[in-house]
Amino acid sequence: MTRAVLDASALLAMLLAEPGEDQVRAVLPACAISTVNLSEVVGHFARQGAKPAEIRGVLDRVPLERVDFDEDLAYAAGLLIGTMRAAGLSFGDRACLALARRLNVQAMTADRAWASIAASADVAVQLIR
């Protein structure tokens, strides 16, 4: 059963042993991530010069559900733009929130800007640091 949806910043905190990693590790096997946010993580490692096989090797070992970004999530994330504009949330942020809302679970992030949007997004948000 899924307990939380991870934002890219939360997964990166765990993978890079940054502050908040313990909170992510504690629930990791019961987490999901949107393929949009997974792409952000892949991009982080690619910018650092990691090879595709190395990136896959790291991410394939992470025990979390990957959820394809489908048409319903596209609409849900797109419709969040009006309420999220003031907080400056990105497309990836909205993809994470849309998935958390769909699954009726909390979203985990290291992005402090999310603290101000939880009520308007109708999603519980857990800041990991």
Side-chain angles (χ1 to χ4, degrees), residues 2-3 7 12 18 26 29 46 72 80 99 101 106 117 124 126:
T2 303
R3 291 177 42 197
D7 177 46
L12 284 168
E18 295 176 347
D72 288 339
L80 283 172
L99 179 58
R101 188 188 304 179
Q106 69 180 352
I117 57 87
Q126 179 182 345

Side-chain angles (χ1 to χ4, degrees), residues 45-103:
F45 288 113
R47 281 189 304 277
Q48 301 302 314
K51 295 181 177 12
E54 295 169 334
I55 298 169
R56 270 197 190 274
V58 168
L59 295 177
D60 285 353
R61 290 191 301 266
V62 178
L64 77 159
E65 178 185 5
R66 283 99 165 132
V67 178
D68 288 337
F69 192 75
D70 60 21
E71 185 174 355
D72 288 339
L73 285 172
Y75 273 91
L79 291 170
L80 283 172
I81 200 163
T83 56
M84 302 299 120
R85 183 169 301 175
L89 270 61
S90 69
F91 167 64
D93 297 338
R94 291 182 285 112
C96 178
L97 290 166
L99 179 58
R101 188 188 304 179
R102 174 195 277 182
L103 299 177

Side-chain angles (χ1 to χ4, degrees), residues 1-53:
M1 179 178 172
T2 303
R3 291 177 42 197
V5 172
L6 300 182
D7 177 46
S9 65
L11 181 55
L12 284 168
M14 189 206 69
L15 293 171
L16 301 173
E18 295 176 347
E21 74 166 306
D22 55 329
Q23 292 180 59
V24 177
R25 280 191 196 286
V27 295
L28 187 63
C31 288
I33 192 167
S34 165
T35 52
V36 170
N37 301 114
L38 183 63
S39 178
E40 291 179 307
V41 174
V42 170
H44 168 83
F45 288 113
R47 281 189 304 277
Q48 301 302 314
K51 295 181 177 12

